[in-house]
Amino acid sequence: MMKRFTYALFVFLFFHISSNAQSNWDSDLIPDSLKEDANAVIRHSSTQYVRTGLSTYEKSIHYIVTILNESGESTAELRIYYDRNSSVDDISIRLYNQQGESIRKVKSKEVADYAYSNSYTLFTDSRIKHYTPAYSHYPYTVEYSYTTKHKSVVSFSDWYPTDWFDTAVEFAELSYSTPVDFDLKYQAFNTEFEYSSTNDEKTIHHVWQAKNLQAIPNESYTLSYQQLLPVVMLSPVQISFEGYEGNFENWQSMGQWVAQLIQGRDQLPQERLAEITNLTDTITTPKLKVKALYEYMQAKTRYVNVALGIGGFQPLTALEVDEKGYGDCKALSNYMKSLLQGIGIHSYYTVIGNGKYREIKYPDYSSLNQTNHIILCVPLEKDTIWLECTNQNYPFGYIGASNANRFGLLIDEQGGTLVKTTNYLPSENTRNSTIAVVLQETGEARFNSQTRFKNYLFESVFSLVHSSAEEQKKMLLKAFSIDGLSFTNFEIANPEKSLPLATVSMEGTISRYSQKAGSRLLVKPHFLFENLFPSRLDQDRKASFFLANGYTTNDTIQFEIPTDYTIEFTPKDLTLESTLGNYSLSYEVTEENKLRIIRSTFIKPGNYEPALFPEIDLFLRTCSGKEEDKVVLKKI
């Protein structure tokens, strides 16, 4: 009883002192330097973790933010996520006007409470408490405080004092208290935090503070927010989740915890083992056997998310997936692993971070927060095959850009081992098109085009392959944005399901392809598919210019001009080389009344620092400007 009373008193004093350290939330008191590039300013933020046992901790939040304009509204929202292993207490919300005067205290019934789910989630215990201020007299200030209590410990949220881009900070503090029996790992990035720690015989206290942080603009073509925003990453070492205990000291020991979650969940019914043996018995090579079972799995299952308690980390058994025909990334990868095991092929259940916003970026710092997905690794004698098991239409062996060229944690009986996944090189990510255009004296043109997309660029049209014809047409018209474009026929296909290759065939007309000027026609070539890079680079941008994936494109237009016209002028050929990549545009009269224009681009992935912006901007502007050049046709 004394322990609980002491903690409650500590929290009361902590928040009482913090909230009164500055009692005037007048927006005019915000320094002008913090308003620059800011839509909101966090006036005071306190996040406090208190670990109370192997599987218990409490987290208390006190947050005061001034909303400067409409674009900062999302910063004013309260979102508290919880589930069956956590609860929410003591929510307090208050609004202040521009002068920092209290307007009203929000009643508890105004805070919505609903299940947090989505269309592909079947089972989840996730819930959210949500409140958005109905106030728009800018600037205004909102103050939140609440406590969440947790009865499982597997990870702690990364702490971002700025919350998001375009948000400045006057003062923010993170504190973490833990009994000496439980270790904490931590890493701080992207700013110099004020850090201190104290300890007595029973407890260790960590404190990080950030003051007067200017807003970071939300710019295009940047690294992920984890690499740009100030952040403190926290990870428990000793963990316990619904009876499954583990140690996250390193990736190997984290892998041991994952291994116990999947142990014994790989059994298949005898009739299934007989079926897959019969299916693969006459196939001569291990790779083709893997392919056959992968396509078998795709046809038999569908993706459904399961995030109920330990089900957020532990897969359904292979027996359950086999019976029900569905599962999430964990369950489907485990099922595929079980199918392969059934014919004697070994594979590894692999934990990975998927997408731009989750990736194992720090191989020397093990943490669950860097991961969010499971794929499968199949090592063969002369090849390693990676399998994305959640998409029933993905080609065999293709895992997509969101899983490529990053660390995955391979799981075996000894624990986890970090390995790099497939890297799709710029020369392998391709788009190749040929466009035949027949020009009319009226300015109209008929066209027929054939385009092939491979690997990373295959993903740009992949969803259309499996869409209805009506949806395909709608998306094509939206993608091209060419005045007077209409289709008489089109087809989008994945001709070889086993390859990340899509084809787009189109026939149609463009009513205003050329412009008449007296006895001449001015023709601006339409390559249909535009360049994938921007037309310029803002020299005032703060962040580096980042491209995660490189690619190669080759586009050829074959023109047939009206019979009573001749080619009077073609622009000069252009060849450019730069740090970012290479570009060329060439014109060739192939025979009478026929003209060929070839555009080639090679773009390299990378993180380009501001010192390179002038060169890159010149490259981008030159490429963009060159494509405005016109061919001149003269009437004979």
Side-chain angles (χ1 to χ4, degrees):
M1 178 65 71
M2 179 61 70
K3 182 178 179 181
R4 291 182 61 83
F5 173 78
T6 302
Y7 172 72
L9 178 62
F10 175 79
V11 172
F12 170 79
L13 291 174
F14 178 82
F15 283 141
H16 180 74
I17 293 170
S18 297
S19 62
N20 285 280
Q22 177 179 324
S23 58
N24 188 348
W25 305 113
D26 187 337
S27 61
D28 288 339
L29 297 178
I30 301 173
D32 290 341
S33 61
L34 294 185
K35 294 179 181 179
E36 183 180 349
D37 295 323
N39 297 321
V41 179
I42 296 173
R43 316 296 295 278
H44 180 98
S45 173
S46 297
T47 300
Q48 182 192 26
Y49 287 92
V50 176
R51 187 165 187 179
T52 52
L54 176 62
S55 60
T56 57
Y57 72 95
E58 298 187 11
K59 179 181 178 182
S60 299
I61 301 291
H62 185 208
Y63 179 78
I64 303 169
V65 59
T66 295
I67 310 304
L68 299 179
N69 53 54
E70 185 178 0
S71 297
E73 278 293 341
S74 61
T75 315
E77 290 189 47
L78 173 68
R79 294 176 178 269
I80 309 172
Y81 299 93
Y82 68 104
D83 54 29
R84 74 185 189 191
N85 287 301
S86 57
S87 60
V88 184
D89 295 328
D90 306 324
I91 298 178
S92 176
I93 307 171
R94 189 176 293 275
L95 298 177
Y96 302 87
N97 64 15
Q98 179 176 351
Q99 291 73 39
E101 300 163 341
S102 177
I103 303 171
R104 61 185 291 260
K105 191 177 189 316
V106 176
K107 298 177 181 178
S108 58
K109 66 181 181 181
E110 298 178 68
V111 180
D113 188 331
Y114 49 86
Y116 180 69
S117 186
N118 46 47
S119 60
Y120 52 80
T121 296
L122 183 62
F123 299 116
T124 181
D125 54 14
S126 298
R127 297 191 64 82
I128 181 173
K129 291 184 181 288
H130 182 217
Y131 173 76
T132 301
Y135 195 79
S136 58
H137 299 286
Y138 307 106
Y140 71 90
T141 298
V142 60
E143 177 179 16
Y144 298 124
S145 64
Y146 62 90
T147 297
T148 56
K149 297 180 179 179
H150 304 258
K151 55 182 182 181
S152 65
V153 175
V154 70
S155 66
F156 301 124
S157 300
D158 296 338
W159 182 67
Y160 294 89
T162 59
D163 280 351
W164 194 241
F165 295 99
D166 306 317
T167 305
V169 174
E170 281 194 84
F171 176 85
E173 181 176 88
L174 167 67
S175 66
Y176 181 95
S177 298
T178 178
V180 294
D181 295 336
F182 305 117
D183 299 317
L184 174 73
K185 297 191 306 172
Y186 55 87
Q187 292 278 357
F189 297 100
N190 307 326
T191 195
E192 292 292 330
F193 291 94
E194 295 181 18
Y195 169 75
S196 63
S197 65
T198 59
N199 61 79
D200 51 39
E201 293 182 358
K202 296 183 178 180
T203 309
I204 301 174
H205 304 279
H206 304 271
V207 178
W208 293 264
Q209 289 186 347
K211 301 174 183 176
N212 299 317
L213 298 180
Q214 290 186 304
I216 298 174
N218 191 4
E219 299 171 311
S220 60
Y221 296 98
T222 63
L223 296 165
S224 68
Y225 66 87
Q226 297 101 323
Q227 296 168 275
L228 293 175
L229 300 180
V231 59
V232 176
M233 301 174 67
L234 303 176
S235 180
V237 175
Q238 297 85 4
I239 66 100
S240 177
F241 195 99
E242 295 190 355
Y244 288 88
E245 297 181 8
N247 183 292
F248 285 3
E249 177 63 35
N250 51 51
W251 292 110
Q252 181 182 7
S253 60
M254 183 182 291
Q256 290 169 350
W257 183 73
V258 176
Q260 69 170 310
L261 295 181
I262 63 176
Q263 186 175 8
R265 305 182 78 80
D266 55 359
Q267 301 303 306
L268 290 170
Q270 287 302 315
E271 61 267 27
R272 194 66 58 236
L273 291 172
E275 181 183 4
I276 62 176
T277 299
N278 184 60
L279 174 68
T280 59
D281 229 13
T282 58
I283 299 176
T284 56
T285 69
K287 184 173 183 177
L288 291 177
K289 288 177 185 284
V290 176
K291 178 177 180 291
L293 284 188
Y294 179 71
E295 293 174 352
Y296 172 87
M297 180 274 300
Q298 288 180 304
K300 183 177 173 59
T301 64
R302 60 190 174 92
Y303 175 80
V304 174
N305 186 35
V306 177
L308 189 65
I310 193 63
F313 301 101
Q314 185 176 57
L316 297 173
T317 66
L319 283 171
E320 290 174 301
V321 175
D322 191 79
E323 176 188 351
K324 302 177 187 299
Y326 63 70
D328 57 15
C329 64
K330 305 179 296 293
L332 296 179
S333 295
N334 181 63
Y335 183 61
M336 183 66 202
K337 181 177 186 297
S338 304
L339 292 173
L340 291 172
Q341 180 177 287
I343 62 167
I345 295 178
H346 184 67
S347 61
Y348 293 97
Y349 187 87
T350 303
V351 182
I352 197 170
N354 173 274
K356 180 178 179 180
Y357 299 117
R358 195 64 66 91
E359 180 180 349
I360 299 176
K361 281 286 187 185
Y362 308 106
D364 296 328
Y365 176 79
S366 55
S367 69
L368 202 63
N369 279 359
Q370 296 181 70
T371 69
N372 64 351
H373 191 48
I374 305 294
I375 59 176
L376 201 66
C377 177
V378 188
L380 300 179
E381 184 177 352
K382 296 182 179 180
D383 195 8
T384 296
I385 302 169
W386 293 94
L387 299 176
E388 168 58 82
C389 300
T390 59
N391 193 307
Q392 277 59 52
N393 294 310
Y394 251 26
F396 168 66
Y398 184 70
I399 57 173
S402 61
N403 289 320
N405 193 29
R406 60 188 62 201
F407 285 108
L409 185 66
L410 266 60
I411 307 300
D412 61 19
E413 295 78 8
Q414 285 71 48
T417 304
L418 288 180
V419 298
K420 267 295 187 73
T421 60
T422 301
N423 181 22
Y424 301 110
L425 300 175
S427 58
E428 300 170 327
N429 301 320
T430 59
R431 183 192 72 206
N432 294 293
S433 72
T434 58
I435 309 166
V437 177
V438 179
L439 294 171
Q440 307 295 317
E441 186 175 6
T442 59
E444 185 183 65
R446 300 193 310 273
F447 71 89
N448 183 313
S449 72
Q450 307 290 326
T451 309
R452 293 164 59 90
F453 300 81
K454 187 177 178 183
N455 287 338
Y456 162 61
L457 296 186
F458 156 79
E459 295 183 42
S460 64
V461 294
F462 170 69
S463 62
L464 288 180
V465 173
H466 305 283
S467 300
S468 67
E470 181 180 351
E471 186 65 20
Q472 288 176 341
K473 184 175 182 179
K474 184 189 304 182
M475 293 303 294
L476 286 174
L477 288 171
K478 183 179 178 181
F480 295 131
S481 299
I482 299 173
D483 289 340
L485 173 67
S486 63
F487 295 113
T488 55
N489 191 26
F490 65 88
E491 181 183 16
I492 304 173
N494 178 200
E496 297 182 55
K497 193 175 185 299
S498 61
L499 294 176
L501 175 68
T503 59
V504 177
S505 303
M506 299 179 293
E507 293 180 50
T509 61
I510 299 175
S511 62
R512 293 181 291 277
Y513 199 105
S514 62
Q515 179 183 354
K516 195 159 187 177
S519 61
R520 290 173 172 81
L521 287 178
L522 308 181
V523 182
K524 176 188 170 184
H526 288 293
F527 286 95
L528 298 180
F529 293 99
E530 299 292 335
N531 286 315
L532 302 174
F533 48 79
S535 60
R536 61 184 296 272
L537 189 62
D538 189 348
Q539 299 296 292
D540 295 329
R541 66 181 283 137
K542 305 290 179 63
S544 58
F545 179 73
F546 175 70
L547 292 176
N549 300 286
Y551 51 85
T552 301
T553 64
N554 291 287
D555 305 300
T556 300
I557 304 179
Q558 298 274 8
F559 280 109
E560 183 176 331
I561 70 175
T563 54
D564 51 350
Y565 278 78
T566 186
I567 301 170
E568 181 182 48
F569 171 81
T570 60
K572 289 183 178 180
D573 293 352
L574 174 70
T575 299
L576 288 176
E577 294 185 5
S578 77
T579 302
L580 183 64
N582 306 327
Y583 174 92
S584 67
L585 190 62
S586 64
Y587 303 80
E588 179 185 1
V589 178
T590 56
E591 53 186 282
E592 187 176 1
N593 291 334
K594 290 190 177 180
L595 172 68
R596 179 187 297 134
I597 303 177
I598 301 174
R599 179 180 68 180
S600 298
T601 304
F602 176 79
I603 298 295
K604 294 178 284 188
N607 186 36
Y608 300 94
E609 296 298 332
L612 296 171
F613 288 178
E615 179 199 346
I616 293 175
D617 183 56
L618 178 61
F619 175 77
L620 297 176
R621 286 175 182 268
T622 304
C623 295
S624 178
K626 183 64 177 175
E627 295 191 9
E628 296 298 316
D629 288 349
K630 295 179 175 64
V631 173
V632 180
L633 307 180
K634 184 178 179 181
K635 193 165 187 177
I636 301 173

